[in-house]
């Protein structure tokens, strides 16, 4: 990685590596001693390459270190020191993240989950000397019996070393690195992981709260091994690198929790770019209260999906939470007395009790074909992943008209635009008016961090331009914004998590008349406004008044 970043030449690296091996000194230590690079330069490169936090050892107090967490011999030989324990997690400092043997031994010995941080090698050396010196002082006061205990402990350490060595043989570094990235993504609340090869570097990015963030830049040489590993566990053809492929994999975290990943590969100029979408089944069981619907919106949606027949449409751009909203509705309807079938491309969340079908265009199993089959399967509720063409729309509408509840999604900007989109597809207006009972449009806005959000002062004119009315600006509520630099809880972002912004539009008799007369989206929107339906901007401003998100965030994700 240092060579790739042009911080070292290949000849310099090989020379330092040879000297390190001859003197039985760690490479990083020898590199710093050679004065080719500073300890900070090496630590910054290591932290970026492996996605570990960079930590300054000058900021800790020696008295508070958990010195007994790691054996003194291992502290010296592995150049690793314990920083802090939190619950069952042990934070350890090291200057060389490739030292997997030391990390495995520490984990075996401590019996805790490790969270490594990268530190500067020269500072680490001084701290290790200090720890060893303190340990030697305390050893002098030990009696004979305690010396025997120390010998037993060193035998255990030898056993731990053997176990760690065998584990290292079984688990290649690439496997461990991928596992670390997946766990980091889950812990950070990411929705997607991007593995991206370029000509001069390789980077890994996470999409957290809708925003892509660079997490690590591993060595470029790792790209093919990482791609092959991901393709193997996703059931893809590792020999095929010329065409895109789609697959799935599952990461079992515990007996009660497993996370699915939807994997997509794309051949680019410099290699295969891989995007992994995290599909957490627990998101479907959050309950409708957790999604951010206002009480009146929740009531309208529940009333619609619990009707015996009709069509409910959820609209919005990619990544706006449509799938979670649909599955939340399915979860409410999922009872022993109801037969539910879904056709998706692909099925993202596994829901027990629901018959889920993956469409396969190559094999002839299209959305339309799946829908025709469902109608012969005695269904009560049908969910279609997306209405893309007239044939699918026609069958879905006929199903809604013949005694079935149909749920589906469309890619439109707002609820009124959905009806004109169906007309443009070629669906007859009277069919739309007699089948569609409710449309929701949605966006996801970043939620302000509860720990560090603070009141902000925005001119009244700007608030009026954003869509607030004079009556609303009565001083009874506080406008909040993100703190510059954030806090520890939100990892310095000022935002943590996301909240849904919704437009829930029931189709009333008056709207049906407008549809029958070939009314435009503007006509329907005007009627919705007269009936008290909040558009996306108004719903977003309500979240601003509640202190859940910022005005900038609402303006960014909604049109006025």
């Amino acid at each position: 990685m240092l060579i790739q970043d042009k911080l070292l030449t290949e000849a310099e690296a090989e020379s330092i590596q040879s000297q390190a091996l001859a003197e039985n000194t760690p490479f990083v230590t020898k590199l710093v001693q050679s004065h080719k690079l500073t300890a900070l330069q090496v630590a910054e490169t290591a932290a970026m390459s492996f996605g570990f936090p960079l930590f300054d050892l000058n900021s800790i107090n020696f008295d508070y270190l958990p010195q007994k967490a790691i054996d003194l011999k291992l502290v010296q030989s592995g150049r690793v020191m314990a920083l802090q324990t939190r619950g069952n997690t042990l934070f350890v400092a090291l200057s060389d993240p490739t030292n997997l043997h030391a990390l495995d031994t520490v984990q075996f010995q401590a019996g805790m989950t490790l969270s490594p941080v990268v530190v500067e090698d020269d500072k680490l050396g001084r701290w290790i000397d200090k720890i060893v010196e303190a340990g030697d002082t305390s050893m002098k006061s030990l009696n004979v019996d305690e010396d025997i205990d120390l010998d037993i402990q060193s035998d255990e350490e030898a056993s731990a070393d053997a176990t760690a060595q065998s584990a290292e043989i079984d688990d290649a570094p690439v496997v461990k690195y991928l596992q670390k990235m997946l766990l980091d993504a889950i812990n950070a609340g990411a929705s997607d992981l991007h593995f991206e090869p370029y000509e001069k570097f390789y980077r890994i990015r996470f999409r957290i709260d809708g925003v892509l963030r660079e997490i690590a830049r591993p060595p470029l040489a790792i790209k093919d091994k990482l791609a092959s590993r991901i393709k193997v566990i996703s059931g893809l053809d590792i020999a095929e690198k010329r065409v895109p492929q789609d697959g799935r994999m599952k990461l079992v975290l515990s007996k009660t929790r497993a996370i699915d990943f939807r994997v997509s590969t794309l051949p680019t100029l410099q290699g295969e770019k891989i995007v992994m979408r995290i599909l957490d089944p627990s998101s479907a069981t959050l309950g409708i209260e957790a999604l951010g619907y206002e009480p009146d919106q929740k009531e309208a949606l529940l009333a619609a999906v619990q009707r015996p027949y009709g069509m409910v449409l959820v609209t919005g751009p990619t990544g706006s939470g449509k799938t979670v909203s649909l599955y939340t509705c399915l979860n409410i309807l999922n009872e022993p007395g109801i037969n539910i079938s879904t056709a998706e491309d692909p099925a993202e969340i596994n829901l027990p009790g629901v018959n889920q079908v993956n469409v396969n265009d190559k094999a002839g199993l299209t959305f339309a074909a799946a829908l025709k089959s469902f109608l012969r399967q005695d269904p009560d509720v049908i969910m279609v992943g997306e209405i893309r063409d007239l044939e699918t729309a026609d069958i879905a509408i006929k199903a809604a008209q013949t005694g079935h509840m149909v749920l589906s999604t469309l890619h439109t900007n707002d609820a009124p635009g959905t009806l004109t989109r169906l007309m443009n597809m070629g669906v007859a207006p009277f069919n739309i008016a007699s089948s569609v009972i409710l449309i929701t449009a949605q966006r996801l806005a970043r939620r302000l961090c509860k720990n560090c959000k603070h009141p902000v002062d925005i001119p009244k004119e700007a608030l009026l331009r954003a869509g607030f009315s004079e009556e609303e600006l009565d001083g009874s509520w506080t406008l909040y914004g993100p703190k510059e630099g954030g806090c520890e809880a939100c990892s310095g972002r000022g935002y943590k998590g996301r909240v849904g912004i919704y437009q829930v539009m029931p189709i009333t008799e008056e709207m049906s008349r407008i549809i029958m007369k070939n009314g435009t989206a503007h006509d329907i929107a005007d009627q919705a406004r007269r009936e008290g339906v909040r558009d996306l901007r108004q719903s977003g401003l309500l979240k601003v008044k509640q202190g859940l998100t910022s005005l900038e965030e609402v303006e960014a994700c909604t049109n006025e």
Side-chain angles (χ1 to χ4, degrees):
M1 191 66 203
L2 292 165
I3 296 165
Q4 186 177 300
D5 287 353
K6 295 187 169 55
L7 295 171
L8 271 184
T9 67
E10 200 163 336
E12 286 171 338
E14 286 178 359
S15 171
I16 294 166
Q17 174 77 322
S18 300
Q19 292 172 42
L21 288 170
E23 297 172 19
N24 198 23
T25 305
F27 171 75
V28 171
T29 305
K30 193 65 192 172
L31 177 60
V32 174
Q33 288 172 356
S34 71
H35 302 297
K36 295 284 184 189
L37 294 172
T38 65
L40 181 58
Q41 283 178 301
V42 179
E44 284 174 341
T45 305
M48 176 58 78
S49 300
F50 289 87
F52 291 138
L54 182 63
F55 185 76
D56 184 3
L57 285 175
N58 287 345
S59 63
I60 60 172
N61 187 328
F62 183 78
D63 296 334
Y64 293 104
L65 289 178
Q67 295 180 32
K68 294 183 179 178
I70 305 176
D71 181 63
L72 277 177
K73 289 183 180 179
L74 182 53
V75 170
Q76 283 180 291
S77 63
R79 289 186 73 77
V80 58
M81 62 177 272
L83 288 176
Q84 184 190 8
T85 57
R86 189 183 297 164
N88 192 42
T89 301
L90 175 64
F91 291 85
V92 295
L94 74 172
S95 58
D96 181 4
T98 64
N99 193 355
L100 299 176
H101 176 61
L103 289 174
D104 284 342
T105 310
V106 170
Q107 186 161 15
F108 179 85
Q109 190 184 84
M112 301 173 77
T113 303
L114 291 197
S115 185
V117 297
V118 176
V119 296
E120 294 152 80
D121 189 78
D122 52 354
K123 291 179 182 176
L124 178 64
R126 289 196 291 272
W127 275 94
I128 288 174
D129 291 343
K130 200 171 179 180
I131 291 169
V132 171
E133 187 183 335
D136 288 342
T137 306
S138 61
M139 275 177 143
K140 288 173 185 173
S141 62
L142 292 173
N143 60 28
V144 176
D145 292 336
E146 287 171 321
D147 281 336
I148 293 168
D149 287 340
L150 278 173
D151 289 337
I152 293 169
Q153 191 175 18
S154 62
D155 286 342
E156 288 174 356
E157 186 195 338
S159 166
D161 284 352
T163 307
Q165 281 173 337
S166 65
E168 197 171 357
I169 293 164
D170 293 337
D171 288 332
V174 168
V175 176
K176 290 194 172 187
Y177 186 70
L178 176 60
Q179 189 173 16
K180 178 192 179 304
M181 283 294 120
L182 297 180
L183 291 173
D184 282 355
I186 293 165
N187 293 333
S191 60
D192 302 84
L193 296 86
H194 291 239
F195 297 85
E196 302 170 315
Y198 296 96
E199 185 179 3
K200 303 282 187 183
F201 64 93
Y202 187 81
R203 74 176 175 187
I204 297 173
R205 294 191 290 174
F206 293 172
R207 189 176 292 280
I208 302 171
D209 297 337
V211 179
L212 275 172
R213 302 183 186 281
E214 187 172 314
I215 300 300
R217 284 200 180 196
L220 189 58
I222 202 175
K223 67 176 184 179
D224 291 331
K225 290 179 182 176
L226 205 51
S228 295
R229 176 63 186 167
I230 292 170
K231 287 162 82 172
V232 164
I233 57 181
S234 306
L236 303 178
D237 182 357
I238 60 170
E240 182 55 81
K241 299 179 181 180
R242 298 164 301 172
V243 295
Q245 297 187 66
D246 293 302
R248 287 180 77 98
M249 58 161 281
K250 186 187 288 284
L251 184 65
V252 179
L253 299 176
S254 66
K255 288 181 180 177
T256 56
R257 191 178 179 210
I259 304 286
D260 285 318
F261 292 83
R262 189 178 74 200
V263 181
S264 170
T265 72
L266 181 71
T268 67
L269 284 176
Q270 308 302 335
E272 286 183 288
K273 171 174 177 173
I274 298 176
V275 176
M276 304 177 78
R277 167 66 58 89
I278 298 176
L279 311 169
D280 189 352
S282 62
S283 60
T285 56
L286 286 174
I288 201 161
E289 292 79 13
L291 298 184
Y293 285 95
E294 298 300 330
D296 58 327
Q297 295 175 334
K298 182 179 83 170
E299 192 178 323
L301 180 61
L302 289 177
V305 298
Q306 287 171 342
R307 281 169 63 169
Y309 58 87
M311 181 183 278
V312 173
L313 295 171
V314 180
T315 74
T318 303
S320 60
K322 300 188 297 294
T323 303
V324 171
S325 291
L326 280 177
Y327 269 95
T328 302
C329 293
L330 288 180
N331 207 42
I332 292 166
L333 298 171
N334 189 11
E335 294 175 358
I338 294 180
N339 179 22
I340 303 174
S341 295
T342 75
E344 299 163 82
D345 184 19
E348 293 192 358
I349 298 170
N350 184 20
L351 203 59
V354 174
N355 308 293
Q356 295 171 277
V357 174
N358 275 340
V359 300
N360 186 338
D361 290 338
K362 288 180 183 174
L365 181 56
T366 60
F367 279 119
L371 269 173
K372 286 177 183 174
S373 178
F374 288 168
L375 293 174
R376 294 191 289 271
Q377 291 269 320
D378 183 30
D380 297 300
V381 178
I382 295 170
M383 196 266 268
V384 188
E386 186 184 346
I387 293 177
R388 296 175 181 169
D389 52 53
L390 178 59
E391 186 184 9
T392 308
D394 268 341
I395 301 168
I397 280 170
K398 285 184 175 68
Q401 291 170 334
T402 54
H404 308 94
M405 170 53 63
V406 179
L407 308 175
S408 190
T409 71
L410 270 166
H411 285 99
T412 56
N413 289 328
D414 59 6
T418 306
L419 297 167
T420 52
R421 171 76 190 279
L422 286 171
M423 290 183 205
N424 291 341
M425 271 187 189
V427 181
F430 62 86
N431 276 336
I432 299 171
S434 63
S435 59
V436 180
I437 57 174
L438 180 133
I439 302 171
T440 77
Q442 64 185 76
R443 300 287 187 278
L444 287 177
R446 288 184 294 169
R447 190 188 288 266
L448 285 167
C449 174
K450 293 177 184 175
N451 293 341
C452 66
K453 69 178 182 181
H454 65 103
V456 292
D457 189 21
I458 294 179
K460 184 179 179 180
E461 295 74 21
L463 295 174
L464 290 171
R465 272 200 310 274
F468 284 110
S469 64
E470 286 277 1
E471 295 76 33
E472 287 177 302
L473 303 178
D474 56 6
S476 62
W477 52 276
T478 305
L479 190 68
Y480 287 95
K483 180 185 173 185
E484 188 72 33
C487 66
E488 189 180 340
C490 61
S491 304
R493 293 191 291 267
Y495 295 93
K496 188 174 183 183
R498 290 197 281 179
V499 62
I501 296 174
Y502 302 93
Q503 178 185 23
V504 178
M505 189 178 84
I507 306 301
T508 59
E509 285 185 21
E510 189 55 43
M511 280 189 197
S512 295
R513 289 193 193 97
I514 294 170
I515 295 165
M516 296 281 280
K517 293 174 184 173
N518 287 318
T520 65
H522 288 295
D523 298 331
I524 297 161
D526 289 340
Q527 179 60 30
R529 204 172 295 115
R530 284 192 289 272
E531 292 177 8
V533 174
R534 287 186 296 277
D535 62 22
L536 286 165
R537 173 57 65 90
Q538 290 167 335
S539 294
L541 295 178
L542 196 54
K543 295 285 189 285
V544 173
K545 285 179 70 176
Q546 293 165 356
L548 294 174
T549 189
S550 64
L551 185 61
E552 309 94 83
E553 192 66 16
V554 168
E555 287 183 322
C557 67
T558 63
N559 295 322
E560 191 171 7

